[in-house]
Amino acid sequence: MPAAPLRLGLAGLGTVGIGVVQIVQRQADLIAARTGRSVTITAVSARDRSKNRDADLSAYAWETDPVALARRDDIDVFVEVMGGHDGPAKAATEAAIAAGKDVVTANKALLAHNGQALAEAAEAKGRVIRFEAAVAGGIPVIKALTEGLAGNRIKRVMGVMNGTCNYILTRMQSAGLPYDQVFEEARQLGYLEADPNLDVGGIDAGHKLSLLAAIAFGTRVSFDAVELEGIGSVSIDDIRLAEDMGYRIKLLGVAQMTGRGLEQRMTPCLVPADSPLGQLQGGTNMVVLEGDSVGQIVMRGPGAGMGPTASAVMADVIDIARGSRIPTFGQPATTLAIPTAALAATPAPYYLRMTLLDKPGALAKIATCLGDAGISIDQMRQYGHVGVHATVLIVTHKAAPGDIVHATAQFAETGVLVDAPVAIRIEEV
């Protein structure tokens, strides 16, 4: 006998939700052929029923309250694409789990803040939470970590995980425009969240990094321990000078387990201009995974948008239709370790930019500060004079972050600085 249809309850009818509706309607025969059962939408939920959504929703029951949708007896999988780490999204997801439903979500904030509790609740009920669409849009990075690389000990997770930030930085670089002007351009194009700081402050990307780190290193999600620094302080001067030295600036997420604990940082970094990350343009995302057996895997693709995100949602739905029952974070939630948070201490080269008084011995004083901190210089350039000032750019050999902080603090004591120095980590990729 043919398997019973898998019935979806869809909460959220924005861009992604309508994308899911379109795939279910357009690809019904293909999905049934690949899963051995049909996938249907039984009921939907959104705040405004009268809104024109350019999709035929007439066959679906309507619930104004997503919690009521989650509790319906005629759905098997609760699909949550509303957003938000608390409020209706959290309440409805908890209700779905309590009612014995599987959950598919595109909500990285929900899991970054509540992932451990939700995973334990779901697994206690024998249910699954799938969230491929929550990280890097259409790139199947969750599946890569939980399945394709399951036999590897992951050494490092790294990537550009916010397309808006990558658009802003690459637009500044290609057009020679300052941050404020490109920020406003991104706003006009609709690229920014209602709260822009979620994008440009690194919060959205930090949510994603914390989820990947949990899977990669078998730890509980620890978003609060992610070192966050947005792109608002990245200047067009640094973009130009970094390019002159063979680098590009990216908002880069890096997670790695060290002897001191779990390092997680989402900060502006320099990467080699000719590397895959350096070549990444526009709103595209890229995730780099490094395993002890496989080596380095680079995954590139669209990080947002109706089609890519809905595609990732449906990949999870199809896995459930096929009977796949992988724990939320790749292993039972109760076995996930509580991570020891470690501030970044792994040595790396650094880019240092400063404006000095143009007088004899100024540069020697800076070099002495670096030498006293145990930091050696790899490259150094001096650029055109502006009155009595000169811009100096230094690329160091590998140095511990603490040593860089100590050295730049000592710069202020030399009496040759015109303004505060800029220090940006160079990530080796």
Side-chain angles (χ1 to χ4, degrees):
M1 294 181 61
L6 185 72
R7 303 166 299 175
L8 311 181
L10 177 61
L13 291 172
T15 298
V16 176
I18 293 302
V20 171
V21 170
Q22 291 176 355
I23 292 176
V24 169
Q25 293 177 347
R26 186 177 68 245
Q27 306 289 12
D29 292 343
L30 179 66
I31 292 169
R34 289 177 172 173
T35 64
R37 64 192 300 192
S38 62
V39 173
T40 63
I41 297 173
T42 302
V44 297
S45 176
R47 286 191 295 267
D48 183 1
R49 187 170 186 173
S50 64
K51 182 178 179 180
N52 178 20
R53 294 180 168 86
D54 295 323
D56 182 4
L57 307 175
S58 60
Y60 311 141
W62 187 279
E63 296 283 1
T64 303
D65 180 5
V67 173
L69 172 69
R71 291 173 175 160
R72 288 180 67 105
D73 292 334
D74 58 353
I75 73 167
D76 305 304
V77 179
F78 178 67
V79 180
E80 186 275 304
V81 290
M82 295 181 291
H85 75 272
D86 54 10
K90 181 173 181 283
T93 300
E94 291 172 337
I97 292 168
K101 318 294 185 185
D102 292 321
V103 173
V104 173
T105 180
N107 192 338
K108 68 285 235 173
L110 176 69
L111 294 177
H113 289 276
N114 308 291
Q116 182 66 27
L118 291 173
E120 288 188 15
E123 290 166 26
K125 284 276 192 177
R127 299 294 93 194
V128 296
I129 301 174
R130 304 298 296 262
F131 59 99
E132 187 67 74
V135 180
I139 302 174
V141 62
I142 304 298
K143 183 176 278 289
L145 279 172
T146 56
E147 297 181 44
L149 302 180
N152 283 253
R153 185 172 296 279
I154 301 300
K155 299 191 293 184
R156 184 169 64 158
V157 175
M158 178 169 55
V160 170
M161 302 176 197
N162 184 277
T164 298
C165 287
N166 201 55
Y167 167 81
I168 290 173
L169 292 172
T170 56
R171 175 73 173 149
M172 289 173 68
Q173 180 261 322
S174 63
L177 298 174
Y179 172 82
D180 289 344
Q181 185 172 338
V182 179
F183 176 91
E184 186 56 35
E185 182 180 285
R187 186 197 295 277
Q188 294 295 328
L189 291 169
Y191 290 172
L192 290 163
E193 296 274 3
D195 176 3
N197 194 50
L198 290 173
D199 286 317
V200 298
I203 297 169
D204 168 84
H207 287 151
K208 299 170 185 176
L209 181 68
S210 69
L211 298 178
L212 293 182
I215 301 171
F217 304 111
T219 60
R220 298 187 179 197
V221 181
S222 53
F223 168 68
D224 290 343
V226 179
E227 296 178 56
L228 289 178
E229 180 186 345
I231 64 170
S233 62
V234 176
S235 74
I236 186 61
D237 289 337
D238 287 316
I239 285 179
R240 287 169 174 157
L241 293 172
E243 186 173 25
D244 189 47
M245 301 288 280
Y247 296 100
R248 300 268 169 81
I249 299 179
K250 300 292 181 183
L251 180 68
L252 190 66
V254 180
Q256 56 192 351
M257 187 64 74
T258 72
R260 298 168 297 99
L262 178 61
E263 290 185 12
Q264 300 178 94
R265 57 184 181 274
M266 182 62 67
T267 60
C269 291
L270 271 66
V271 297
D274 58 358
S275 68
L277 284 165
Q279 293 293 307
L280 192 67
Q281 298 291 311
T284 308
N285 282 197
M286 180 175 287
V287 181
V288 180
L289 306 175
E290 296 176 356
D292 61 345
S293 295
V294 75
Q296 188 179 88
I297 299 291
V298 178
M299 307 178 74
R300 175 186 180 278
M306 174 188 282
T309 310
S311 170
V313 168
M314 288 308 299
D316 285 340
V317 168
I318 287 168
D319 271 352
I320 292 171
R322 288 169 168 164
S324 176
R325 314 296 297 174
I326 295 173
T328 306
F329 296 106
Q331 66 184 65
T334 55
T335 69
L336 295 171
I338 299 174
T340 299
L343 294 177
T346 304
Y350 276 80
Y351 160 102
L352 305 175
R353 176 178 62 83
M354 63 210 77
T355 304
L356 305 182
L357 294 172
D358 186 23
K359 63 181 186 180
L363 192 54
K365 291 182 178 181
I366 296 299
T368 297
C369 291
L370 292 171
D372 289 346
I375 299 168
S376 61
I377 296 172
D378 180 33
Q379 301 179 60
M380 181 168 58
R381 292 185 187 176
Q382 181 171 316
Y383 291 84
H385 299 250
V386 180
V388 295
H389 303 158
T391 298
V392 174
L393 184 64
I394 293 172
V395 173
T396 75
H397 286 289
K398 283 186 178 182
D403 292 338
I404 293 291
V405 170
H406 175 75
T408 53
Q410 293 304 304
F411 291 172
E413 306 298 320
T414 64
V416 300
L417 280 185
V418 174
D419 51 22
V422 173
I424 306 176
R425 183 184 179 94
I426 300 173
E427 199 66 46
E428 297 180 322
V429 299

